[in-house]
Amino acid sequence: MKIYLSPSKQTANLYAAGGTNEQSQCNLIAAAAEKALRRCGFEVKRAPEGQEIEESVRQSNAWGADLHMPIHTNAGGGRGCVVFISRRSDDRLAIAQPIYEEIDAITLYRSPYGVREKQFYEIRNSNAVCAYVECEFHDDPELARWIIANTGALGEAICRGVCRGFGVEYIKEENEKMVRWNNLEAMPEGYRKMAERYVEAGALRGKNNGELDLSEDMLRTMEIVRRYFEGE
């Protein structure tokens, strides 16, 4: 399975914090996604940093990619991820929806956007199914700082989504340890916000001295299931 990654070349899109820009951060996300996808058995090509999108589409088409994936961060005053496809057909949704869900599960706030139709250049002109990813909004200082701190996590989330979309087992890094958290204060901010929902609802009470004993995988799965059944 061939995946072509096309990270943003938009240096003029400045982040609201961190003194960085969309191109820099999206290339870090794409590098993390490439590493994870290769680990899971995919063939991957990543556009060189700053390459024009026309050349990226040409390379993707010539290579015969199965999935063409532009990777961006967003602006315009919102929050949350969105994935764009050319039309909401079953084959496109089968790939794009899991990518959206895996990114949405780790961001600070629930996205109101979902998978949507757009006709951007790369979507229109790539021969492969195109899933155009907007990971999060960078024009909010809190969200900009979160993106900068989580480029690796976003790359892994993209990989998990692609694995689900193509029915491939997601493989963690061999040296990746299963981190477990016993209390809210010890969790990274994004996961803490997830767990707080369950604690406030009384679904998580902990054991012994209130130890939650939660892993990242557990929280992420719980959040995806919660959002599905609550129809958010």
Side-chain angles (χ1 to χ4, degrees):
M1 205 69 66
K2 297 180 176 181
I3 314 295
Y4 190 96
L5 303 177
S6 178
S8 173
K9 61 174 291 292
Q10 295 162 295
T11 56
N13 288 350
L14 302 179
Y15 273 38
T20 187
N21 60 67
E22 184 175 345
Q23 175 177 298
S24 295
Q25 297 306 308
C26 289
N27 275 269
L28 292 173
I29 295 167
E34 177 182 12
K35 180 181 177 182
L37 288 164
R38 288 185 183 278
R39 188 178 69 235
C40 294
F42 293 94
E43 294 183 65
V44 184
K45 283 192 176 183
R46 173 163 52 100
E49 185 163 353
Q51 178 168 279
E52 297 295 333
I53 60 174
E54 293 83 1
E55 177 60 18
S56 296
V57 169
R58 189 198 67 77
Q59 290 179 355
S60 176
N61 290 345
W63 184 46
D66 298 292
L67 174 63
H68 183 91
M69 187 157 41
I71 297 175
H72 289 253
T73 54
N74 215 341
R79 62 187 188 186
C81 64
V82 58
V83 176
F84 295 114
I85 53 178
S86 61
R87 63 183 185 276
R88 294 178 61 82
S89 60
D90 289 345
D91 59 335
R92 287 165 175 78
L93 283 170
I95 295 171
Q97 187 67 35
I99 297 171
Y100 166 77
E101 290 175 354
E102 292 293 342
I103 298 172
D104 189 43
I106 69 167
T107 52
L108 293 179
Y109 300 101
R110 175 71 175 101
S111 170
Y113 306 112
V115 177
R116 297 189 171 191
E117 294 183 3
K118 270 299 185 193
Q119 295 300 321
F120 297 139
Y121 179 89
E122 290 183 87
I123 296 176
R124 294 196 320 270
N125 291 283
S126 57
N127 293 338
V129 171
C130 182
Y132 190 112
V133 178
E134 295 274 10
C135 296
E136 183 54 279
F137 282 77
H138 61 246
D139 54 353
D140 174 282
E142 179 189 26
L143 299 178
R145 286 190 292 269
W146 184 86
I147 296 168
I148 294 165
N150 288 276
T151 55
L154 284 165
E156 291 289 340
I158 288 170
C159 177
R160 287 194 297 270
V162 172
C163 287
R164 286 177 54 199
F166 284 104
V168 172
E169 180 184 3
Y170 170 71
I171 301 171
K172 290 186 175 184
E173 288 188 282
E174 290 184 9
N175 61 353
E176 185 177 349
K177 295 180 179 180
M178 177 67 75
V179 178
R180 305 182 80 94
W181 300 294
N182 285 325
N183 56 70
L184 294 174
E185 292 73 21
M187 296 178 187
E189 185 175 7
Y191 294 115
R192 183 167 65 248
K193 287 181 180 294
M194 293 181 194
E196 283 173 348
R197 299 185 181 101
Y198 293 98
V199 171
E200 290 170 1
L204 279 178
R205 297 186 178 87
K207 54 188 177 182
N208 299 327
N209 295 318
E211 295 178 353
L212 297 176
D213 192 30
L214 292 173
S215 69
E216 176 182 355
D217 284 351
M218 293 165 63
L219 274 171
R220 182 172 51 80
T221 301
M222 290 161 63
E223 188 68 2
I224 290 172
V225 171
R226 182 190 72 81
R227 293 173 180 180
Y228 175 82
F229 283 106
E230 292 184 4
E232 291 186 3

